[in-house]
Every structure is written in structure tokens, then in C-alpha cells.
Amino acid sequence: GAVVSQHPSRVICKSGTSVKIECRSLDFQATTMFWYRQFPKQSLMLMATSNEGSKATYEQGVEKDKFLINHASLTLSTLTVTSAHPEDSSFYICSAGLAGGTYEQYFGPGTRLTVT
Amino acid sequence: DAKTTQPNSMESNEEEPVHLPCNHSTISGTDYIHWYRQLPSQGPEYVIHGLTSNVNNRMASLAIAEDRKSSTLILHRATLRDAAVYYCILRDYKLTFGKGTLLTVNP
């Protein structure tokens, strides 16, 4: 199956700093990537949909100025958490689809962000 | 996305079949039924998907009711590595995850 990677797998940052998370589709091109956040013992919550070469579409309640998403190529999307605070500590997961509509999405292994 | 209902948890014994149910009474004609699973501290993994007919792949089988208001994910022989949270999702474009079913597999 298709492989999606994320980097870093874990990151600890200080409150007020920014951190960037990369999501790459390794063996396929993804016109659309999705970013999720998962708090402990909760389900995944979609944050935004990222389309290559255009602005991301954010879900209701997600601050677009705080969570900057860039999808510069068909194999790379980045999520930057700006001015991070402890409440941003979470498990961030990206996914990419081989095609729209019916097809499955492939998920990255996730990035554990801890803000101290 | 249309809503799905799954049991919070289920338990199985190793090497026995597991039937994970999902109700989706408000499914529309174009909604595909997708199943994903998530192991602890990992991203979700695609399991299977279908529209109307039953589907089989190397991981599992998907049985879809004739009226499409429910479906069942079938793991033919559960292993310890199948212990995970299983999500049943009706997909139009994006995936909306519910709480899923926590499957425990006993040795």
C-alpha cells in the first residue's frame, strides 16, 4: 500500500515558539492531504484539508492563523503550529488519498507534540 | 458526513472470528462505507471499503446489509495484532471519525 511519512515523530517545544510538522507521500502523488488532531482517549478530529497549490480549508473552530498549512508540492504538506501553548499538545496526524471520491486514505504515523 | 453507531468495545479470543457491527441508518446512496483501525500511538490504517456488495481483502471482509443501513467488519481469525480501535465511516469526500470500537483480543 501507499506510504505516508511524518517528521518529526515526537517534538517538545517551549510555550510561545513555533513548530513545523512535515507530511510526505513517499510513493504516490497526493493532490489532497488532510490534517487531524487527536487528544488522549479521544477520536481524530479533522483540522483542515490541504490542496496542492491552493489555500487550505479549515474546519470550524480551527484557527487558520495559528495552524499554518502549506501544500507546496504533490508529495509534501506542512503544518506549522505558531506560538504554541500547552493546550496545543496533542497527536497530529496527516493523511493523503490516492484519488478523490471512493478511495481509501493513507495515514502517516503521527507526530506527538508536547508544549512545555 | 452521515453518522455511524458502533459498540464502544468488544472482546475476542485469539484465532477466533470477530464480527464488528456498524449501524448507519441515514446513509445516502452515494456514501461509501469505510473501515479503518488505529493501534495505540499510531496513525489509522485503512482496512476495507464497500458500497453495496460484500467485499473481501487480505485483512478482512465487509458484509453490507441489503438496505445498506448496517454493515459488519469480519476478521476471520483474530490475532493479538488486531487489537485496536476500529472505525466505521461513511465517506463522501473527507473522513469524519466517531469513537469507534475498541477491540480487545485475548490470548
Side-chain angles (χ1 to χ4, degrees), chain B residues 10 12-18 20 36-40 45 47 58-60 73-86 101-106:
Chain B
M10 289 186 66
S12 173
N13 295 319
E14 202 173 7
E15 297 192 4
E16 290 184 356
V18 181
L20 297 165
Y36 288 78
R37 70 181 185 182
Q38 186 179 24
L39 279 67
E45 175 186 27
V47 178
R58 63 177 179 80
M59 289 182 67
L73 179 70
I74 303 166
L75 306 179
H76 296 285
R77 290 183 64 192
T79 69
L80 297 178
R81 289 180 298 177
D82 292 322
V85 178
Y86 286 78
T101 297
L102 174 63
L103 175 65
T104 301
V105 180
N106 299 314

Side-chain angles (χ1 to χ4, degrees), chain A residues 38 43 59 102-105, chain B residues 32 36 38 46 91 94 98:
Chain A
Q38 186 175 33
S43 189
E59 295 298 302
T102 68
Y103 295 104
E104 61 269 30
Q105 286 187 22
Chain B
Y32 277 73
Y36 288 78
Q38 186 179 24
Y46 166 80
R91 185 182 179 191
K94 56 188 180 183

Side-chain angles (χ1 to χ4, degrees), chain A residues 32-95:
Chain A
T32 303
M33 290 184 174
F34 301 87
W35 285 96
Y36 297 82
R37 179 168 53 180
Q38 186 175 33
F39 292 107
K41 298 191 184 300
Q42 295 187 24
S43 189
L44 284 79
M45 290 182 57
L46 180 64
M47 299 176 66
T49 302
S50 166
N51 292 296
E52 186 266 337
S54 64
K55 291 183 178 180
T57 302
Y58 290 82
E59 295 298 302
Q60 193 172 7
V62 178
E63 300 175 59
K64 61 180 67 176
D65 294 329
K66 181 172 182 61
F67 299 99
L68 303 179
I69 292 173
N70 183 278
H71 194 158
S73 76
L74 289 173
T75 60
L76 173 65
S77 177
T78 61
L79 168 68
T80 301
V81 182
T82 63
S83 186
H85 291 286
E87 57 264 31
D88 299 322
S89 298
S90 188
F91 193 47
Y92 291 86
I93 307 168
C94 71
S95 73

